[in-house]
Amino acid sequence: MISLRNITKSYRNGFKRAFVLRRVSLDIEAGEFVNIMGPSGAGKSTLLHIMGLLDEPSDGEYQFRGTPTSSLSEKQRTELHRTQIGFVFQAYHLIDDLTVY
Ligand SMILES: Nc1ncnc2c1ncn2[C@@H]1O[C@H](COP(=O)(O)OP(=O)(O)OP(=O)(O)O)[C@@H](O)[C@H]1O
Ligand SMILES: [Mg+2]
């Protein structure tokens, strides 16, 4: 269902490049329950944002249900995220005095 190949994410840091993810490869089948663990700053949220189609890798290939996500338009990515992915943000910004309704 989820197939990551050599996923890399880096940010420009002055004249250097800071690597947050370096060649991450991972397969997750439908129905599998997976924990991603690591110390603060290890890149867990960055990886989840890529898997949730909220962010794009700098390099590598991500296939979601057989679709190479790099070939999707912004609109198609949004549609896939909206209809197929449930995502709870680390900073979810719920407002205490408002109800869901
Ligand atoms: N937009 C960005 N620009 C530059 N560096 C970033 C950016 N976003 C994240 N980083 C850096 O990437 C690294 C990984 O961040 P990330 O939020 O993925 O870590 P995490 O494993 O989720 O940490 P935590 O357990 O604290 O939630 C950190 O060093 C962070 O400062
Ligand atoms: Mg995080």
Side-chain angles (χ1 to χ4, degrees):
M1 188 175 73
I2 285 173
S3 171
L4 307 177
R5 285 293 166 275
N6 298 313
I7 292 293
T8 296
K9 184 73 178 177
S10 62
Y11 294 101
R12 190 199 294 272
N13 181 8
F15 288 112
K16 288 193 271 181
R17 247 178 196 286
F19 283 85
V20 177
L21 301 172
R22 235 188 249 266
R23 293 187 293 277
V24 175
S25 297
L26 173 70
D27 290 298
I28 303 175
E29 306 293 334
E32 251 189 296
F33 185 101
V34 176
N35 272 299
I36 296 169
M37 300 193 288
S40 184
K44 305 178 296 292
S45 291
T46 304
L47 183 63
L48 287 173
H49 290 152
I50 290 170
M51 294 204 294
L53 299 174
L54 298 165
D55 197 2
E56 292 181 61
S58 314
D59 205 357
E61 186 55 63
Y62 170 25
Q63 291 204 9
F64 181 77
R65 296 194 150 160
T67 303
T69 59
S70 57
S71 68
L72 298 172
S73 68
E74 190 62 36
K75 200 172 171 192
Q76 290 171 316
R77 291 171 67 82
T78 304
E79 183 64 13
L80 211 56
H81 171 82
R82 204 170 61 76
T83 58
Q84 312 225 15
I85 295 171
F87 199 105
V88 180
F89 290 98
Q90 183 163 0
Y92 43 79
H93 302 305
L94 293 182
I95 301 169
D96 285 338
D97 57 351
L98 293 180
T99 65
V100 170
Y101 181 73

